Amino acid sequence: VCVRVCVYLMLVAYEGVCDSLDVMLWVCPGASRALQALEVLYSLGALDDEGLLTRLGRRMAEFPLEPNQAKMLIQSTHLGCSDEILTIVSMLSVQTIFYRPKEKQALADQKKAKFHMPEGDHVTLLNVFNSWKNNKFSNPWCYENFVQARNLRRAADVRKQLLGIMDRHKLDVVSCGKNFKRVQQAVVSGFFRNSAKKDPQEGYKTQVDQQVAYMHPNSSLYNRQPEWVVYHEITLTTREYMREITAIEPKWLVEFAPAFFKVADPTRMTKRKRQERIEPLFNKYEEPNAWRISRVRRF
């Protein structure tokens, strides 16, 4: 898995075992996978132009997290929402939060829907954790809301561990209150490579490889279908489904990943657009070029 290769390369380079460019050919199953791993780290700002760890990369390596989650957590300290991202990253580290017994599926869906947030699944996870906290970490509350108490406790343990690392590195833990726009921006800073745009034909198109993907029915955004999203991962079942999705504004991609995205030049056409020739409908009563504007008589 590319993400695991990224983590390994980062840790080896950080520990100074050997140069990361040499390590990648040794540890990776193929050169293409190794280059992809380095490209991910570079786009996250963890590696410099020479393939060495940056200051940000060294800090990311201190966290037992996937690189994009570590970047998201560190960036949240600058956006003033590190308290919220700390919880979200912890919730992402555990298995499914909700359960859905066969005999009570409708009720379970109804209870789950109460936690849904318009910003998406990441903020929904935050809402679940905070609701559990506000109810004094109650097991009966979990049972009533079809929430896995064991997984919430595991998330709380992970959060405590990550909080200790942040304290050790003197990273501020600040809450954004209800300003969840900052949370969305922090998610973009780590998961910009997992961005997707709604496709007019079907589903979404991922921005990196133009792959067709679909919003998972369990997503809090399933009935909203925002124009732009970022996702945590894609799982393949009957379709390729995006999981853990957050709605975003496309300008954030350029703002938080300027080395990866740029604003398109409206005067230039992409290769794909150039290949799309728009032909008029055939009309047997007119000459072949009669439809052209240049053929219209001006009076």
Side-chain angles (χ1 to χ4, degrees), residues 248-267:
I248 67 166
E249 295 180 21
K251 64 181 181 181
W252 296 341
L253 296 172
V254 179
E255 181 179 351
F256 292 100
F260 199 79
F261 289 99
K262 65 179 181 179
V263 178
D265 184 351
T267 63

Side-chain angles (χ1 to χ4, degrees), residues 7-25:
V7 174
Y8 190 88
L9 285 172
M10 182 183 294
L11 291 177
V12 171
Y14 176 65
E15 293 296 332
V17 174
C18 53
D19 186 82
S20 61
L21 294 174
D22 296 327
V23 172
M24 70 176 187
L25 297 175

Side-chain angles (χ1 to χ4, degrees), residues 57-247:
R58 290 180 178 276
R59 183 158 282 183
M60 288 166 61
E62 291 290 340
F63 291 91
L65 298 168
E66 296 175 4
N68 44 16
Q69 291 188 41
K71 169 69 179 294
M72 176 173 72
L73 183 55
I74 293 170
Q75 184 65 39
S76 70
T77 63
H78 305 294
L79 291 169
C81 60
S82 51
D83 186 59
E84 286 75 17
I85 294 297
L86 195 58
T87 299
I88 290 170
V89 168
S90 302
M91 292 286 276
L92 289 172
S93 71
V94 300
Q95 297 289 327
T96 309
I97 296 298
F98 295 97
Y99 65 95
R100 195 170 179 254
K102 289 185 178 180
E103 65 280 4
K104 295 182 179 180
Q105 288 183 355
L107 181 58
D109 291 343
Q110 182 183 350
K111 292 286 187 179
K112 179 178 179 293
K114 292 182 178 180
F115 295 105
H116 287 177
M117 299 294 287
E119 294 80 10
D121 298 330
H122 293 89
V123 180
T124 294
L125 290 175
L126 173 66
N127 189 27
V128 173
F129 187 92
N130 287 342
S131 297
W132 178 55
K133 179 181 177 181
N134 293 336
N135 283 274
K136 300 179 180 178
F137 310 105
S138 166
N139 282 339
W141 178 89
C142 291
Y143 180 79
E144 179 184 343
N145 290 279
F146 297 91
V147 173
Q148 301 272 15
R150 178 183 299 177
N151 290 344
L152 282 180
R153 287 194 294 270
R154 170 60 182 159
D157 291 340
V158 172
R159 191 182 192 281
K160 185 177 180 180
Q161 178 188 1
L162 295 176
L163 182 61
I165 297 174
M166 293 187 73
D167 287 342
R168 188 163 69 247
H169 289 276
K170 295 180 172 58
L171 295 172
D172 294 332
V173 179
V174 183
S175 174
C176 65
K178 298 295 183 181
N179 187 4
F180 296 131
K181 181 178 178 180
R182 296 184 184 182
V183 174
Q184 292 168 280
Q185 291 174 333
V187 174
V188 169
S189 73
F191 287 88
F192 54 85
R193 293 179 66 95
N194 293 0
S195 56
K197 185 179 186 293
K198 191 168 175 55
D199 187 74
Q201 302 299 323
E202 60 172 343
Y204 285 78
K205 282 280 186 71
T206 61
Q207 293 300 289
V208 171
D209 54 12
Q210 294 297 300
Q211 171 186 352
V212 176
Y214 299 87
M215 191 169 290
H216 197 278
N218 288 341
S219 174
S220 60
L221 294 174
Y222 186 72
N223 293 323
R224 295 178 182 271
Q225 300 285 317
E227 187 74 11
W228 287 85
V229 298
V230 290
Y231 56 88
H232 180 66
E233 62 183 358
I234 287 182
T235 57
L236 179 59
T237 53
T238 54
R239 285 178 165 182
E240 291 190 324
Y241 284 114
M242 300 179 291
R243 303 297 297 262
E244 311 305 342
I245 308 164
T246 283

